[in-house]
Amino acid sequence: MSEPALAPRNAFHGVLAVWIVALLTSIALGVFVAEDLRVGWLLISFGGIVLLSFAVQLWYARPQGFIVRVAGSVIGALMLMGLVSVGFGLAALATVV
């Protein structure tokens, strides 16, 4: 007889954790990195976020919906980082004028 499956962990917490890390990373880069170096560091940090999303979803050890969860993590992180960088870009334009 097969044993009943245990209640799986909620995988959305992993997606949310990646989004929070992406948000905090992009804010920290916007505050602490010079304007001319910011885009390069945002690209490097986004690569780290992609690796983090894979690691978090592999840690959950649930094969069902793996691609959807990783895609949700990465796309959400990309959108958050983009919005924060647009905000810092507009702030830089406002200080020039």
Side-chain angles (χ1 to χ4, degrees):
M1 262 196 152
S2 64
E3 295 181 22
L6 297 175
R9 294 175 276 198
N10 190 355
F12 184 70
H13 292 121
V15 173
L16 190 63
V18 171
W19 291 352
I20 290 171
V21 170
L23 181 68
L24 294 177
T25 302
S26 61
I27 290 172
L29 288 174
V31 170
F32 296 116
V33 176
E35 288 179 26
D36 55 342
L37 300 174
R38 195 174 294 156
V39 173
W41 280 106
L42 278 169
L43 290 172
I44 292 170
S45 65
F46 182 69
I49 294 294
V50 170
L51 294 176
L52 177 68
S53 71
F54 274 111
V56 167
Q57 295 306 323
L58 285 174
W59 179 72
Y60 275 104
R62 289 185 57 206
Q64 298 85 12
F66 175 78
I67 299 296
V68 173
R69 291 190 312 269
V70 170
S73 296
V74 170
I75 291 172
L78 179 67
M79 294 183 87
L80 283 172
M81 292 179 86
L83 287 174
V84 171
S85 67
V86 164
F88 279 113
L90 291 175
L93 283 176
T95 59
V96 170
V97 173

